[in-house]
Amino acid sequence: MNQVLKKSLAPDICESQRSDRAETLRSLREALRQKSAEHREDPARLKVPTGIEAVDQMLLGGIQRGALTMITGGWAAGKTSLALAPLIRVSRERLPVAIVDISGGLFPPVLARMGADLERILFVRSGPGKAIWAVEQILRSGIFHGVLLIDSVLSRSHHGLKLNRAMLRKLQLASEAANAITILVHSR
């Protein structure tokens, strides 16, 4: 009799625990979205300065939130350093950012020396086939305030990204919805 009672209660207990976990997860996601929304509603946060005065003047204050920014150039032109500056600034505000690195050449301790809060940075190593998808999913989460996709010369020699208008449009729409700075570093 006791075994029958245990068997009949076991599914109810498991279902109750799953329900509690799901509710806790929903509550945490909502709290993160609300906290993110507080930061996004401030008009002073529409642009994130690069820290390079001449560049910030040309960009009328910095990198625009809710827009896709593409930085292109030749090898060792400073594309990645320029792109990292606003993301590091956002991470120092204790806001989460993500870096999707196709080349695998980004070394996190260097970012720490540049002043980044590594606890606020999600590092994703991806092949070119999943990189756009990864950036889109990160933006759709609604949690991240900035995303950087690095497609360097190194990765291009290994069949890097082949961008088309549809891919860029997907990233633009996801960036607008998230109101995040989204930067794509792409070599010529």
Side-chain angles (χ1 to χ4, degrees), residues 34-170:
Q34 286 176 356
K35 190 71 173 164
S36 292
E38 290 171 15
H39 287 287
R40 289 190 174 108
E41 291 170 3
D42 184 357
R45 297 180 181 272
L46 292 177
K47 293 197 175 191
V48 179
T50 64
I52 303 168
E53 190 175 331
V55 173
D56 288 338
Q57 285 177 349
M58 286 189 300
L59 296 174
L60 304 174
I63 302 292
Q64 180 73 42
R65 288 185 185 275
L68 176 62
T69 303
M70 183 181 279
I71 301 173
T72 62
W75 184 76
K79 301 176 302 292
T80 303
S81 296
L82 176 62
L84 283 170
L87 259 71
I88 289 171
R89 187 176 295 262
V90 171
S91 79
R92 279 189 290 202
E93 293 176 15
R94 311 258 327 133
L95 299 172
V97 298
I99 298 173
V100 178
D101 183 11
I102 294 174
S103 69
L106 192 63
F107 190 55
V110 171
L111 295 178
R113 279 184 259 150
M114 293 172 71
D117 181 353
L118 295 182
E119 290 182 3
R120 299 291 174 208
I121 302 176
L122 171 68
F123 293 95
V124 179
R125 303 266 166 139
S126 172
K130 295 285 186 188
I132 297 293
W133 179 85
V135 171
E136 189 178 6
Q137 298 310 308
I138 290 166
L139 288 167
R140 282 185 176 183
S141 75
I143 296 169
F144 292 87
H145 290 254
V147 181
L148 170 60
L149 173 58
I150 302 173
D151 179 30
S152 68
V153 172
L154 175 65
S155 68
R156 285 181 59 108
S157 66
H158 293 93
H159 311 293
L161 284 177
K162 294 189 178 32
L163 298 171
N164 62 45
R165 286 185 180 176
M167 286 179 182
L168 294 174
R169 184 65 179 149
K170 277 178 131 179

Side-chain angles (χ1 to χ4, degrees), residues 4-34:
V4 171
L5 183 60
K6 283 182 183 177
K7 286 183 181 178
S8 66
L9 289 177
D12 291 338
I13 292 170
C14 290
E15 187 62 37
S16 173
Q17 288 174 343
R18 273 190 231 127
S19 177
D20 290 346
R21 286 183 192 148
E23 183 57 39
T24 301
L25 187 57
R26 274 193 291 278
S27 296
L28 288 172
R29 283 184 178 148
E30 184 58 32
L32 280 170
R33 283 195 177 100
Q34 286 176 356

